């Protein structure tokens, strides 16, 4: 399979959109909705959308893996409204780093990015990743993946304290966060690119119980459609991601480094090789 595109900027909608003056169901206090018309956008047609690879749009916050301090590092989206101190620090950082297009490195024990830092261990250079099991597409797998395997990729951070936790992961007492590489969940049986067909697919089948679709086009362009574009609600009670069983496959024995007792890697090592009916069933305890 070819390498799928990474998310570096806002993605256009597959349909031409129009603004309707009524309260948004996506953003609180927004007095309008952005809805899809039945017309495919020029950007989608120019990118040859009909030959693109459709994937699940995962609801989290975007991350990026690239080198920093001589090793692979997780980077977070730069806060668009930083406080003055953070803004000053970041401007100083920009002067010394070439990779500065909207990303900031996630430092170990960072308070601002504590949920980001919980899914990486820089001593062992690994990340906590959720994706399909390599031998069974109907099974999800949580594993420790070398950060070097994720270099120059973007990923989505999901979990207890991200975007209202639409997938129901962890708990307030025992937060759980995971990384999902963008494009990891391909959609196999998508209907034709008609407004009515996509609406029926989202609203009427198990595979459609997702936040949206991202098409990875051959030219590297990314095109999306969100449930809200079609007038549908999100989040929803029973997501497609929570309809699949999940297995823990950490394989941490090869790392001589002693993991902190409270870190996610240590918690998952205690339930290594266990299988759960769905992500919601994974309960981490001390």
């Amino acid at each position: 399979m070819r390498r799928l595109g990474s998310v570096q900027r806002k993605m256009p909608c597959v349909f031409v959109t129009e603004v309707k003056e009524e309260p948004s169901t996506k953003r609180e206090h927004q007095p309008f909705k952005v809805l899809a018309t039945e017309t495919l956008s020029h950007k989608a047609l120019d990118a040859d959308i009909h030959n693109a690879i459709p994937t699940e749009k995962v609801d989290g916050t975007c991350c990026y893996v690239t080198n920093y301090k001589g090793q692979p590092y997780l980077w977070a989206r730069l806060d668009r409204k930083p406080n003055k101190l953070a803004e000053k620090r970041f401007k100083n950082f920009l002067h010394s780093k070439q990779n500065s297009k909207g990303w900031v490195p996630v430092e170990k024990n960072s308070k601002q990015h504590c949920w980001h830092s919980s899914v990486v261990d820089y001593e062992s250079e690994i990340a906590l990743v959720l994706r399909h099991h390599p031998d069974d597409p109907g099974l999800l797998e949580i594993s420790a993946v070398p950060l070097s395997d994720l270099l120059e990729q973007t990923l989505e951070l999901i979990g207890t304290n991200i975007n209202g936790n639409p997938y129901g992961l962890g708990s307030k007492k025992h937060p759980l966060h995971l990384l999902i590489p963008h494009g990891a969940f391909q959609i196999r049986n998508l209907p034709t690119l008609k407004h009515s067909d996509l609406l029926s697919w989202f609203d009427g089948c198990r595979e459609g119980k997702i936040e949206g679709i991202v098409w990875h086009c051959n030219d590297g362009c990314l095109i999306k459609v969100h449930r809200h574009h079609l007038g549908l609600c999100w989040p929803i009670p029973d997501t497609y991601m929570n309809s699949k069983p999940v297995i823990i496959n950490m394989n941490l024995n090869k790392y001589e480094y002693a993991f902190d007792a409270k870190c996610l890697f240590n918690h998952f090592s205690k339930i290594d090789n266990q299988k759960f009916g769905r992500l919601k069933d994974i309960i981490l305890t001390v």
Side-chain angles (χ1 to χ4, degrees):
M1 188 187 84
R2 66 179 172 87
R3 176 80 171 265
L4 299 183
S6 63
V7 179
Q8 297 286 348
R9 60 187 63 85
K10 188 174 177 62
M11 293 178 283
C13 182
V14 69
F15 295 108
V16 174
T17 58
E18 62 182 10
V19 177
K20 192 170 183 180
E21 293 185 4
E22 59 181 67
S24 171
T25 56
K26 182 178 181 181
R27 294 184 177 90
E28 192 176 359
H29 307 307
Q30 180 174 294
F32 61 88
K33 291 180 178 179
V34 179
L35 296 173
T37 66
E38 296 185 4
T39 305
L40 287 174
S41 69
H42 288 297
K43 288 184 178 180
L45 293 172
D46 291 344
D48 192 18
I49 190 72
H50 293 287
N51 290 308
I53 297 176
T55 68
E56 177 177 348
K57 184 182 185 301
V58 177
D59 189 1
T61 185
C62 193
C63 304
Y64 177 45
V65 175
T66 193
N67 283 316
Y68 176 59
K69 295 182 178 180
Q71 70 176 92
Y73 242 71
L74 184 68
W75 295 57
R77 280 282 194 206
L78 174 64
D79 188 348
R80 295 186 182 277
K81 295 180 180 179
N83 60 43
K84 290 183 179 180
L85 179 59
E87 187 173 18
K88 182 178 179 180
R89 285 176 177 171
F90 189 72
K91 285 181 178 179
N92 292 335
F93 171 78
L94 295 190
H95 288 302
S96 61
K97 297 298 169 188
Q98 292 181 345
N99 194 324
S100 60
K101 296 182 179 179
W103 301 101
V104 60
V106 175
E107 300 283 8
K108 182 181 179 180
N109 300 323
S110 166
K111 291 184 179 180
Q112 182 182 2
H113 299 115
C114 58
W115 310 124
H116 293 72
S117 64
S118 73
V119 298
V120 290
D121 185 278
Y122 292 130
E123 282 77 8
S124 298
E125 297 190 8
I126 54 177
L128 200 57
V129 172
L130 171 69
R131 54 191 175 185
H132 285 301
H133 190 280
D135 300 322
D136 184 354
L139 178 65
L140 297 177
E141 178 187 70
I142 296 173
S143 58
V145 175
L147 278 164
S148 58
D149 289 357
L150 304 172
L151 271 172
E152 305 311 318
Q153 292 187 45
T154 55
L155 310 95
E156 203 76 5
L157 177 70
I158 65 169
T160 310
N161 296 288
I162 304 295
N163 283 7
N165 195 18
Y167 305 108
L169 300 185
S171 64
K172 186 176 181 179
K173 187 176 181 180
H174 301 295
L176 169 57
H177 298 86
L178 302 165
L179 289 169
I180 301 176
H182 285 142
F185 299 150
Q186 288 194 34
I187 300 171
R188 303 294 179 184
N189 299 303
L190 197 65
T192 58
L193 286 176
K194 292 182 180 179
H195 187 286
S196 58
D197 289 345
L198 285 175
L199 179 61
S200 298
W201 182 83
F202 273 114
D203 201 32
C205 72
R206 188 181 70 149
E207 292 81 2
K209 294 185 181 301
I210 60 178
E211 184 199 18
I213 303 167
V214 175
W215 285 268
H216 294 251
C217 304
N218 289 320
D219 64 356
C221 183
L222 301 178
I223 309 289
K224 73 176 179 182
V225 69
H226 192 289
R227 292 178 70 92
H228 288 300
H229 287 132
L230 304 174
L232 298 173
C233 291
W234 180 265
I236 55 178
D238 299 307
T239 62
Y240 183 48
M241 193 182 297
N242 259 307
S243 70
K244 296 183 177 183
V246 57
I247 193 168
I248 313 301
N249 185 15
M250 299 303 291
N251 192 23
L252 295 176
N253 294 332
K254 56 186 176 182
Y255 298 102
E256 296 181 0
Y257 170 74
F259 293 95
D260 185 280
K262 295 182 179 180
C263 79
L264 286 177
F265 293 93
N266 185 58
H267 284 311
F268 274 109
S269 69
K270 295 177 180 178
I271 55 173
D272 199 13
N273 299 316
Q274 290 190 34
K275 189 175 180 180
F276 298 85
R278 56 181 185 169
L279 284 168
K280 284 183 177 181
D281 296 337
I282 301 174
I283 306 297
L284 301 179
T285 56
V286 178

